[in-house]
Amino acid sequence: MGKPIVLKVVLAGEGGVGKTTLLKRYVEGKFHADTKMTIGVEFFLKELILDGRNVLLQMWDFGGQDRFRFLLKSYASGAKGALLLFDLTRPMSLDKIDQWVNICRSENLDLPIILLGTKLDLDTQISVSDDYAEEIVEVFNLVDYIKISSKTGENVQESFKRLAGHIINNLKG
């Protein structure tokens, strides 16, 4: 099938929104309820076949705490896309969305970003409306908005496939 296309993808968002849990679900296929806070940045790799092409996703998991923020712009260097996560049950996890978009797009103002609302399985506690999330997508010119659950696996594969597909389509054009 040939050498894979390597795509660097960053995962960003406030602490506790589920970035590491999402990556472990995506890469290992398992839900980890006891994930520890990411210090700085962690890396994950996953190969997939997309439109008959071999793709290697190199995923960078950014620690969400303020004390790591100064590092993140340099870590975003060379990224081809980003998943920006927030917790559907915590509206405050959207308060600094502009900072996260700026970090992700520090080198490429057109970097494709998909907004992910996490913890969809906690349906009785969801307090962020789809309309509000869609507004954020428009304001920041994001690619899409997807609601996911790392616990159930809902839309986990789809979110990475959609971002990778969007990046590959941009590379062709």
Side-chain angles (χ1 to χ4, degrees):
M1 184 159 298
K3 200 170 135 190
I5 301 168
V6 179
L7 301 178
K8 178 178 176 179
V9 172
V10 297
L11 276 80
E14 293 298 304
V17 297
K19 296 178 295 293
T20 306
T21 306
L22 168 63
L23 282 165
K24 288 187 176 183
R25 168 59 103 162
Y26 180 60
V27 173
E28 301 169 10
K30 295 179 188 152
F31 175 70
H32 296 265
D34 59 348
T35 303
K36 306 281 184 272
M37 177 179 71
T38 302
I39 307 295
V41 70
E42 269 189 73
F43 308 93
F44 294 80
L45 295 171
K46 173 119 177 174
E47 282 194 64
L48 64 145
I49 308 294
L50 202 59
D51 297 332
R53 299 172 82 171
N54 198 7
V55 177
L56 177 65
L57 289 181
Q58 183 188 75
M59 299 162 289
W60 293 51
D61 176 13
F62 288 177
Q65 283 65 31
D66 282 332
R67 66 178 183 255
F68 305 126
R69 275 273 153 106
F70 74 97
L71 297 166
L72 301 182
K73 281 188 180 183
S74 61
Y75 288 148
S77 178
K80 300 291 183 213
L83 295 173
L84 181 49
L85 286 68
F86 75 95
D87 182 339
L88 288 163
T89 70
R90 286 189 308 146
M92 285 173 47
S93 64
L94 282 165
D95 287 354
K96 296 179 182 166
I97 204 84
D98 56 329
Q99 290 178 26
W100 287 110
V101 169
N102 288 337
I103 287 168
C104 292
R105 289 185 171 155
S106 59
E107 206 175 81
N108 175 0
L109 296 177
D110 297 319
L111 186 82
I113 301 173
I114 292 180
L115 184 65
L116 295 184
T118 64
K119 305 182 185 177
L120 182 58
D121 53 284
L122 301 176
D123 53 346
T124 61
Q125 298 170 47
I126 291 175
S127 53
V128 177
S129 72
D130 289 347
D131 287 344
Y132 185 63
E134 294 289 352
E135 215 173 280
I136 289 169
V137 168
E138 278 201 28
V139 167
F140 292 102
N141 191 28
L142 307 181
V143 172
D144 208 347
Y145 166 56
I146 305 171
K147 295 186 286 188
I148 65 158
S149 169
S150 295
K151 188 173 190 175
T152 66
E154 186 173 350
N155 288 332
V156 167
Q157 301 282 332
E158 176 62 25
S159 56
F160 286 93
K161 276 186 187 159
R162 202 172 303 176
L163 181 61
H166 184 83
I167 295 167
I168 287 171
N169 285 338
N170 283 353
L171 293 176
K172 289 179 193 170

